[in-house]
Amino acid sequence: MGRDRRSRPVHRPRVAYTAPARATDLSGLAPAFIEVGAAETFRDEAVDYASRIWATGGQAELHVWAGGYHGFSGFSPEAEVSQAAVAARESWLRACCAWADESPGAR
């Protein structure tokens, strides 16, 4: 919900694409990498999202980082937890790229 120029509420429909928690069908998604800090406001939503992907037979890699908070790897890049999170994310991306290169019709 927002406001128009005359400060009246503007109602916008909720769209599933704006937040994973709103999607009802998670089948057919590309593999997902989901990471969240244990002290993150959206931790439970992230864990639920991964669980819902797994329930459809989809692929998701979930990391819940102890000591992490919202945006921890960006705000505290030198922290050990941040460096571990970045390394895990980069490793997953490299594996996905290698998998894509090896799939039929990739070139």
Side-chain angles (χ1 to χ4, degrees):
M1 181 156 70
R3 297 197 173 270
D4 70 9
R5 292 184 179 171
R6 294 172 291 224
S7 294
R8 291 187 302 191
V10 175
H11 297 281
R12 294 187 179 100
R14 289 181 173 237
V15 179
Y17 299 111
T18 59
R22 296 182 187 150
T24 56
D25 181 10
L26 299 178
S27 62
L29 292 179
F33 182 88
I34 303 162
E35 67 178 346
V36 65
E40 160 72 56
T41 303
F42 302 108
R43 181 198 62 214
D44 293 345
E45 182 177 330
V47 172
D48 179 62
Y49 180 51
S51 297
R52 291 174 52 217
I53 291 171
W54 293 326
T56 67
Q59 295 179 335
E61 184 166 328
L62 172 66
H63 293 266
V64 179
W65 297 100
Y69 54 90
H70 187 76
F72 69 95
S73 62
F75 288 116
S76 303
E78 301 302 318
E80 189 174 322
V81 66
S82 298
Q83 292 177 4
V86 169
R89 185 181 325 128
E90 290 176 351
S91 174
W92 184 83
L93 286 169
R94 279 191 300 276
C96 283
C97 290
W99 174 79
D101 286 344
E102 295 169 4
S103 65
R107 293 182 186 201

